[in-house]
Amino acid sequence: QLQLAESGGGLVQPGGSLRLSCAYSGFTLDYYAIVWFRQAPGKEREGVSCIRRNDHNTYYKDSVKGRFTASRDNAKDTVYLQMDSLKPEDTAVYYCATTLSGSCSGYGSPAGYRYWGQGTQVTVSS
């Protein structure tokens, strides 16, 4: 059974960096897109970044472009989200998820995502 597990969250000051990891097991995800979502208190869950397999194309929500970088190491069954120049508005629980599709189309919405990790808290505060 496919399992996803995020790690790497924590408390960081504005302008700081964190690297999140999403380790998957029980299923080979080498050929599938993986999405990073986040959910801040009182807000809807939103897609932040999507990384495909075929050409490692990555996609980002406008508010994180230039600050976040998604990558993957299929040999380690892990996807990463490097987050730099963090802002207080980046505070949220971050999740990785997949629909077992190779496409990132429509990744902004969590609808239809069947497989989720448990989430990791990111808090950006001075």
Side-chain angles (χ1 to χ4, degrees), residues 14-116:
S17 298
L18 284 173
R19 189 177 80 155
L20 305 183
S21 299
C22 170
Y24 51 88
S25 61
F27 196 84
T28 298
L29 293 182
D30 294 4
Y31 302 101
Y32 300 113
I34 296 178
V35 179
W36 285 98
F37 288 90
R38 67 184 181 188
Q39 187 167 19
K43 294 189 176 181
E44 294 185 350
R45 194 168 296 188
E46 61 180 4
V48 173
S49 176
C50 181
I51 182 166
R52 294 173 57 190
R53 163 63 180 95
N54 292 340
D55 50 4
H56 284 211
N57 269 3
T58 54
Y59 304 85
Y60 301 96
K61 178 178 174 64
D62 284 347
S63 61
V64 306
K65 283 180 181 177
R67 301 189 297 119
F68 290 11
T69 304
S71 62
R72 65 192 299 167
D73 185 341
N74 289 335
K76 295 183 178 180
D77 292 343
T78 303
V79 173
Y80 304 98
L81 186 66
Q82 177 68 40
M83 305 187 297
D84 299 318
S85 302
L86 282 162
K87 304 175 180 180
E89 51 263 43
D90 294 318
T91 295
V93 179
Y94 283 72
Y95 302 88
C96 57
T98 183
T99 60
L100 298 184
S101 164
S103 172
C104 284
S105 177
Y107 77 91
S109 168
Y113 281 80
R114 180 179 175 184
Y115 302 100
W116 293 84

